[in-house]
């Protein structure tokens, strides 16, 4: 009996130990799993690297310079010196100047013919260089089109506004020349005819060189003395500066706005000192603008018999 009880007690002890071991093992496994989960949670996730987009730079791009009137591409431009302010500023100013040379066209003024009808005339075309330079300073990587600012202005004269335009004189000026100097007088006469009956509406501009045109033998101009570098030399068209100087004094007396005028390198005898306006083809020009709110007409006449050149600025009675 004692042997049986001993055996049962031993078996019970073994079973209890086995159960306790199983419980311990199971608890340890749970603790290990919990620890592993915590450690796994602490591990940072691997970041997926995104591909970086290339950074665009103004100086690496090519821009389209487009006519503001038509949208037509005038030139492709790569601003390689964009970061070098001094160099870039000079570069774009030169670019604007070169483009303007091929665009700028002075206004061809309207005239009144012998029948009293308006004739001729063409618009002024100007590329605003300063505005283009500003646009080129403000380049960005999103807009590759650059506006080239070109403006057109047509003569501001109508048949109605020109009615009776020669009624009243605003100012008149006369100079004298020697009737015996036939070649020079011919040049004075031709240039006076070129500016005679020119009509300027409000805001219209006038260019002496544009209006008179190139002085050539084919157009009837004669060799005559002219002042170059303080010296009298023979040149085709000598004497036309007397016409431009007489015109200056007349329009100045009428209160029109002078926009370009140069002096001779030495004194001329036909106007007081400082009252001259020298001109040359491809060189100095005499320019002015009608700053009145009404049109004016230029009347010019060279009397080769008496040796008197007169320029008269006139308008209609109703305008003043």
């Amino acid at each position: 009996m004692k042997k049986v009880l001993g055996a049962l007690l031993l078996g019970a002890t073994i079973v209890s130990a086995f159960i306790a071991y199983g419980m311990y093992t199971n608890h340890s496994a749970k603790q290990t799993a919990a620890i592993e989960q915590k450690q796994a949670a602490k591990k940072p996730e691997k970041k997926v690297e995104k591909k970086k987009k290339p950074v665009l730079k103004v100086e690496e791009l090519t821009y389209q310079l487009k006519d503001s009137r038509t949208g037509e591409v005038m030139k492709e431009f790569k601003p390689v010196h964009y970061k070098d302010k001094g160099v870039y500023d000079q570069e774009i100013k030169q670019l604007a100047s070169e483009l303007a040379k091929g665009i700028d066209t002075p206004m061809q003024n309207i005239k009144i013919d012998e029948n009293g009808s308006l004739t001729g005339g063409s618009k002024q075309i100007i590329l605003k260089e300063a505005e283009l330079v500003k646009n080129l300073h403000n380049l960005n990587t999103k807009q590759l089109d650059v506006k080239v600012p070109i403006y057109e202005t047509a003569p501001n004269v109508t048949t109605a506004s020109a009615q009776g335009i020669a009624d009243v004189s605003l100012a008149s000026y006369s100079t004298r020349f020697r009737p015996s100097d036939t070649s020079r007088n011919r040049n004075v006469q031709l240039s006076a005819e070129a500016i005679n009956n020119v009509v300027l509406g409000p805001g219209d501009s006038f260019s002496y060189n544009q209006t008179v045109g190139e002085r050539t033998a084919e157009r009837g101009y004669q060799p005559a003395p002219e002042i170059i570098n303080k010296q009298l030399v023979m040149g085709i068209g000598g004497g036309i500066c007397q016409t431009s100087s007489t015109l200056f004094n007349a329009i100045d007396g009428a209160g029109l706005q002078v926009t370009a005028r140069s002096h001779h390198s030495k004194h001329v005898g036909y106007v007081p000192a400082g009252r001259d306006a020298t001109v040359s083809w491809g060189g100095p020009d005499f320019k002015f603008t009608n700053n009145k709110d009404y049109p004016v007409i230029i009347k010019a006449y060279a009397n080769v018999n008496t040796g008197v050149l007169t320029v008269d600025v006139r308008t209609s009675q109703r305008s003043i």
Side-chain angles (χ1 to χ4, degrees):
M1 185 70 178
K2 288 182 179 180
K3 291 182 178 180
V4 173
L5 288 173
L8 290 173
L9 182 60
L10 178 62
T13 301
I14 294 171
V15 170
S16 297
F18 181 79
I19 293 171
Y21 177 77
M23 291 175 65
Y24 171 78
T25 304
N26 185 50
H27 177 71
S28 297
K30 287 181 179 180
Q31 282 185 327
T32 302
I35 291 171
E36 290 177 349
Q37 287 179 355
K38 287 181 180 180
Q39 290 177 342
K42 289 181 180 179
K43 289 182 180 179
E45 294 182 2
K46 290 185 178 180
K47 293 183 179 180
V48 178
E49 292 186 3
K50 294 182 179 179
K51 291 184 178 179
K52 293 182 179 180
K53 293 182 179 180
V55 178
L56 296 175
K57 296 181 179 180
V58 166
E59 58 269 27
E60 296 174 346
L61 301 175
T62 300
Y63 292 81
Q64 307 282 328
L65 274 56
K66 293 187 175 181
D67 189 323
S68 61
R69 302 166 298 174
T70 64
E72 179 183 355
V73 177
M74 299 176 62
K75 185 178 181 65
E76 289 190 341
F77 175 65
K78 193 164 186 175
V80 293
H81 301 112
Y82 188 75
K83 293 294 185 181
D84 191 333
K85 186 176 180 181
V87 173
Y88 184 68
D89 188 58
Q90 289 185 356
E91 180 183 20
I92 59 178
K93 283 180 178 178
Q94 183 178 352
L95 172 61
S97 177
E98 290 174 354
L99 288 175
K101 287 177 182 177
I103 294 293
D104 288 358
T105 305
M107 180 178 291
Q108 187 69 51
N109 302 111
I110 288 176
K111 298 185 80 170
I112 290 182
D113 64 19
E114 57 186 12
N115 299 317
S117 300
L118 300 181
T119 182
S122 62
K123 57 193 173 184
Q124 177 191 54
I125 305 175
I126 296 291
L127 188 159
K128 293 294 183 70
E129 295 180 42
E131 191 175 337
L132 175 57
V133 167
K134 181 179 178 181
N135 292 346
L136 290 171
H137 270 304
N138 295 330
L139 298 178
N140 60 68
T141 58
K142 296 180 181 179
Q143 176 57 262
L144 300 184
D145 291 344
V146 180
K147 182 176 73 171
V148 179
I150 300 173
Y151 299 90
E152 299 181 353
T153 306
N156 188 22
V157 181
T158 63
T159 300
S161 67
Q163 288 295 318
I165 197 171
D167 290 346
V168 181
S169 176
L170 295 175
S172 180
Y173 197 86
S174 295
T175 56
R176 303 192 68 86
F177 53 87
R178 292 194 300 270
S180 60
D181 196 348
T182 56
S183 293
R184 185 180 186 279
N185 295 350
R186 179 57 178 161
N187 297 335
V188 172
Q189 187 179 37
L190 285 173
S191 55
E193 289 174 355
I195 67 173
N196 185 45
N197 285 328
V198 166
V199 180
L200 283 81
D204 285 356
S205 58
F206 176 95
S207 160
Y208 187 85
N209 282 339
Q210 176 74 14
T211 303
V212 175
E214 188 173 2
R215 282 67 82 176
T216 63
E218 291 75 17
R219 298 184 65 226
Y221 285 91
Q222 306 293 313
E226 58 184 6
I227 298 173
I228 297 179
N229 295 326
K230 299 182 179 182
Q231 300 294 323
L232 276 176
V233 298
M234 294 297 289
I236 298 294
I240 63 163
C241 291
Q242 181 164 351
T243 307
S244 58
S245 297
T246 307
L247 173 63
F248 158 66
N249 283 275
I251 70 101
D252 189 51
L256 303 187
Q257 182 183 7
V258 176
T259 55
R261 179 172 73 102
S262 300
H263 298 296
H264 288 82
S265 56
K266 65 179 296 184
H267 176 60
V268 294
Y270 44 78
V271 292
R275 300 297 297 176
D276 60 320
T278 186
V279 293
S280 67
W281 187 254
D285 195 2
F286 172 53
K287 299 179 181 180
F288 62 90
T289 298
N290 177 16
N291 55 348
K292 309 296 185 182
D293 58 4
Y294 49 83
V296 299
I297 187 170
I298 297 169
K299 291 288 187 178
Y301 179 70
N303 189 324
V304 294
N305 296 316
T306 61
V308 176
L309 168 64
T310 299
V311 176
D312 193 7
V313 182
R314 306 182 73 86
T315 192
S316 64
Q317 181 67 53
R318 68 178 184 277
S319 297
I320 57 175

